[in-house]
């Protein structure tokens, strides 16, 4: 299709003009043949035959130019009605109403293809984010049923917390459908970093200890990986959306555990950032790390991050964890990326904290 302004810069010739030109040309041909007949004493019947043939040929040529695009448009429209959004109509550069119609159909197909892609991504995102709290809740309930834990108020509060988080996640993940349609509001507040991250790691340990860490990155039975929390100073506070930050930390831990060696160590490190209530957060593992040439791809959707893993040993996950983490960090106006590390992989998250005061 032509770029914006391309069609406006060309002279448009409407179909009415083309049909009018056809009539005028046919009349001129007929008139010219009659004048030739009068000058050369040619019989009128021969002139009539020649005139009809010439008119039919010109009409056939013009009609083919008008009907061929319509047939193609009809085929493409039928494909769209059956869910095939890959085909496009040729001739969008025509300088008439058919060119406008072809461009409109192509633009409609582009929009429908984007909507269909976003719908599929949303379903995958929802499935990805619901797995971890469901695994933690199931672990709590199975511990109670198997007699490993008593159904005391503390255990029930843990189960209730996971249930409440499921409800919040459903509402939060629906925001993904509006990624390309506007800004999703944040519910930022001030909170203490140590107890907050300690709760996130406790949930991860609970899921790992009972069922293996289950999330959109795959199902791993990694009970050998040790999670370590390092917050300095201990009274560190930050200003962010706690629920969305939970998405970031949980997905980064998931990814780090997946790539950790046997009996490896995953460290979640938090430090004060350069601005008030800002936060520098690191998740470090002891795995094979990420090759430098692939670091720009790890936060792309459906990138499963199997670099450094033996062939055929990928987890089969959806590859959405780090993409969701980047989305949540971007909503805060922060930065996330792969930082240099002497060993393993080091993901660095920077959250800006409180907005600067207005002058």
């Amino acid at each position: 299709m032509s770029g914006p302004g391309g069609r406006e810069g060309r002279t448009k010739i409407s179909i009415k003009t083309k049909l009018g030109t056809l009539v005028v040309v046919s009349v001129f041909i007929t008139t010219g043949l009659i004048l030739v007949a009068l000058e050369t004493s040619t019989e009128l019947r021969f002139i009539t035959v020649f005139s009809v043939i010439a008119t039919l040929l010109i009409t056939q040529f013009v009609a083919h130019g008008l009907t061929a695009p319509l047939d193609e448009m009809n085929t493409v429209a039928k494909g769209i009605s059956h869910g095939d959004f890959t085909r496009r109509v040729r001739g969008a550069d025509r300088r008439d109403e058919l060119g406008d119609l072809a461009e409109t159909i192509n633009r409609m197909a582009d929009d429908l293809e984007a909507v269909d892609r976003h719908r599929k991504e949303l379903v995958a995102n929802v499935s990805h984010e619901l797995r971890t709290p469901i695994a933690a809740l199931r672990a709590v309930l199975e511990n109670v049923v198997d007699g490993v834990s008593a159904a005391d108020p503390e255990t029930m509060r843990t189960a209730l917390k996971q249930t409440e988080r499921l409800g919040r996640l459903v509402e939060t993940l629906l925001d993904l459908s509006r990624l390309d349609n506007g800004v999703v509001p944040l519910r930022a507040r001030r909170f203490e970093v140590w107890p907050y991250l300690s709760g996130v790691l406790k949930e991860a340990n609970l899921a790992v200890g009972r069922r293996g860490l289950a999330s959109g990155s795959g199902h791993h039975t990694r009970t050998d990986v040790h999670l370590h929390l390092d917050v300095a100073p201990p009274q560190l506070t930050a200003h962010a959306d706690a629920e969305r930050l939970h998405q970031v930390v949980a997905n980064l831990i998931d990814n780090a555990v997946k790539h950790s060696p046997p009996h490896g160590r995953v460290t979640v490190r938090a430090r004060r950032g350069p601005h008030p209530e800002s936060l520098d957060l690191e998740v470090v593992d002891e795995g094979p790390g990420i090759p430098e040439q692939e670091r720009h791809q790890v936060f792309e959707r459906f990138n499963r991050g199997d670099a450094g893993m033996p062939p055929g040993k990928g987890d089969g996950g959806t590859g959405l964890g780090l993409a969701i983490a980047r989305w949540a960090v971007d909503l805060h106006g922060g930065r996330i990326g792969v930082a240099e590390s002497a060993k393993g992989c080091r993901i660095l998250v920077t959250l800006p904290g409180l907005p600067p005061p207005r002058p």
Side-chain angles (χ1 to χ4, degrees):
M1 285 184 292
S2 59
R7 295 181 62 85
E8 289 79 357
R10 296 190 302 238
T11 303
K12 182 176 179 179
I13 304 176
S14 68
I15 294 178
K16 292 181 179 179
T17 302
K18 293 180 179 180
L19 293 176
T21 303
L22 173 63
V23 173
V24 171
V25 170
S26 299
V27 170
F28 270 111
I29 291 177
T30 303
T31 303
L33 290 176
I34 291 175
L35 293 177
V36 170
L38 294 176
E39 293 291 333
T40 59
S41 301
T42 305
E43 292 188 11
L44 187 60
R45 59 182 179 178
F46 294 115
I47 296 300
T48 303
V49 171
F50 291 149
S51 176
V52 170
I53 292 175
T55 303
L56 288 176
L57 289 176
I58 296 175
T59 304
Q60 175 64 23
F61 175 77
V62 174
H64 177 75
L66 296 177
T67 58
L70 293 176
D71 292 337
E72 185 180 8
M73 292 176 191
N74 183 48
T75 301
V76 172
K78 286 182 178 179
I80 292 176
S81 67
H82 289 89
D84 180 11
F85 307 120
T86 61
R87 303 187 63 177
R88 297 295 183 270
V89 179
R90 293 171 297 180
D93 56 347
R94 291 173 58 108
R95 295 178 295 171
D96 56 19
E97 291 84 353
L98 290 179
D100 293 339
L101 181 58
E103 187 177 25
T104 300
I105 291 177
N106 289 341
R107 188 181 299 114
M108 178 185 66
D110 291 338
D111 294 341
L112 290 175
E113 186 177 21
V115 169
D116 185 64
R117 183 176 62 253
H118 293 161
R119 177 184 61 82
K120 293 177 181 177
E121 290 177 354
L122 176 61
V123 172
N125 283 328
V126 170
S127 301
H128 174 275
E129 281 299 296
L130 292 181
R131 284 176 179 173
T132 297
I134 288 176
L137 179 60
R138 182 176 179 179
V140 172
L141 297 178
E142 287 187 350
N143 284 340
V144 173
V145 172
D146 295 342
V148 178
S149 301
D152 52 33
E154 180 64 26
T155 302
M156 292 297 99
R157 274 194 292 270
T158 302
L160 177 61
K161 184 178 180 180
Q162 291 298 325
T163 305
E164 292 174 342
R165 183 169 177 247
L166 281 173
R168 292 194 301 270
L169 276 177
V170 171
E171 181 179 358
T172 299
L173 288 171
L174 290 176
D175 292 335
L176 291 172
S177 64
R178 300 196 295 270
L179 279 178
D180 297 327
N181 300 324
V183 178
V184 180
L186 288 174
R187 297 179 178 88
R189 61 177 178 83
R190 183 176 179 269
F191 61 92
E192 295 184 9
V193 176
W194 175 273
Y196 173 79
L197 292 180
S198 179
V200 177
L201 266 66
K202 182 179 179 181
E203 292 180 11
N205 269 320
L206 181 62
V208 171
R210 180 60 180 172
R211 300 297 296 175
L213 187 59
S215 75
S217 294
H219 295 275
H220 343 291
T221 307
R222 298 303 308 274
T223 59
D224 59 319
V225 178
H226 175 66
L227 303 182
H228 175 69
L229 179 60
D230 177 14
V231 178
Q235 67 274 16
L236 178 64
T237 60
H239 187 270
D241 187 316
E243 188 63 33
R244 300 200 191 277
L245 183 58
H246 192 294
Q247 291 178 294
V248 176
V249 179
N251 281 311
L252 292 181
I253 292 176
D254 180 7
N255 186 73
V257 169
K258 179 183 68 175
H259 292 90
S260 292
H263 307 288
R265 179 187 182 97
V266 172
T267 301
V268 179
R269 185 177 296 114
R271 297 291 186 268
R272 193 182 308 279
H275 306 293
E277 303 296 338
S278 60
L279 180 66
D280 288 343
L281 188 68
E282 297 180 8
V283 177
V284 185
D285 63 55
E286 299 176 342
I290 301 175
E292 185 174 357
Q293 65 271 19
E294 297 183 14
R295 292 179 181 177
H296 68 287
Q297 300 176 349
V298 297
F299 297 100
E300 297 296 329
R301 292 190 176 195
F302 307 109
N303 186 305
R304 298 181 180 179
D306 293 335
M309 300 183 71
K313 297 296 184 182
D315 58 33
T318 58
L320 290 168
L322 293 181
I324 292 176
R326 182 185 64 177
W327 167 73
V329 172
D330 288 344
L331 286 178
H332 285 83
R335 300 189 306 274
I336 183 172
V338 181
E340 292 295 333
S341 177
K343 181 180 180 181
C345 176
R346 174 169 164 254
I347 303 293
L348 176 62
V349 176
T350 302
L351 300 181
L354 291 172
R358 295 182 179 179

